[in-house]
Amino acid sequence: MTVKIAPSILSADFARLGEEVRAIDQAGGDWIHIDVMDGHFVPNLTIGPAVIKALRPHTARPFDVHLMIAPAQPYIEDYAKAGADYITVHAEADLHIDRSLQLIRSLGKKAGLSLNPATPESVLEYVLDRLDLILVMSVNPGFGGQSFIESQVEKVARIRKLIGDRPIELEVDGGVTAEIAPRLIKAGATAFVAGSAVFKTPDYAGNIAALRGL
């Protein structure tokens, strides 16, 4: 299995977002990861539905939209209409996780649930059959360029056991480098969000290949 790479446009040049999205598509990125932050659930403000809608014509790659907002449920439909393919909400930000996941799927989108570093994997137990993606935060959400939190490798391994044979993507977000990636793949990760690891140099294709171990 080849791990999927989802370059995060949080680390892209915001003055050239359309061009950057096309570049990471051509460089072999599997998904386009879009971090949505509200300045409330996390200490930063980023992209709204209008920007996603404007970017949608620039690539056919899936948009992996990560809602770091509270509450998320009132905005899910807006992001679905804007062109999201995966919509991921945070376990810590949603009082009614099951309802939100049902809503995402009812809109024809793939449903994801994200866990902060200190959130136990037990929160997944009763919603596994509503999930298409689990996103493990390996940094505290809100900013790019942070260092990987080592405890999340074992957490990924435990979640892999919970998933069993279900067709759920297991994605890791935060501080993933070419050196850390092989350990996460061994633990069971199937996808990586990569911001600075992809955008750190103009060789996006080489940086993506390095994360795959190629």
Side-chain angles (χ1 to χ4, degrees), residues 5-14 17 20 24 31-35 37 47 64 66 68 144 173 192-196 198-199:
I5 306 299
S8 170
I9 61 171
L10 183 64
S11 297
D13 182 346
F14 270 46
L17 272 185
E20 291 275 67
I24 56 178
W31 301 337
I32 310 299
H33 189 81
I34 303 173
D35 290 303
M37 306 183 191
I47 293 166
D64 177 24
H66 179 191
M68 288 176 272
D173 183 356
F192 297 140
V193 176
S196 54
V198 169
F199 291 98

Side-chain angles (χ1 to χ4, degrees), residues 8 18 32 40 45 63 66 103 119 149-150 152 170 189 197-198 206:
S8 170
I32 310 299
H40 166 66
L45 286 166
F63 277 3
H66 179 191
L103 174 59
T119 300
I149 297 174
E150 283 291 330
Q152 303 309 293
L170 180 47
V198 169

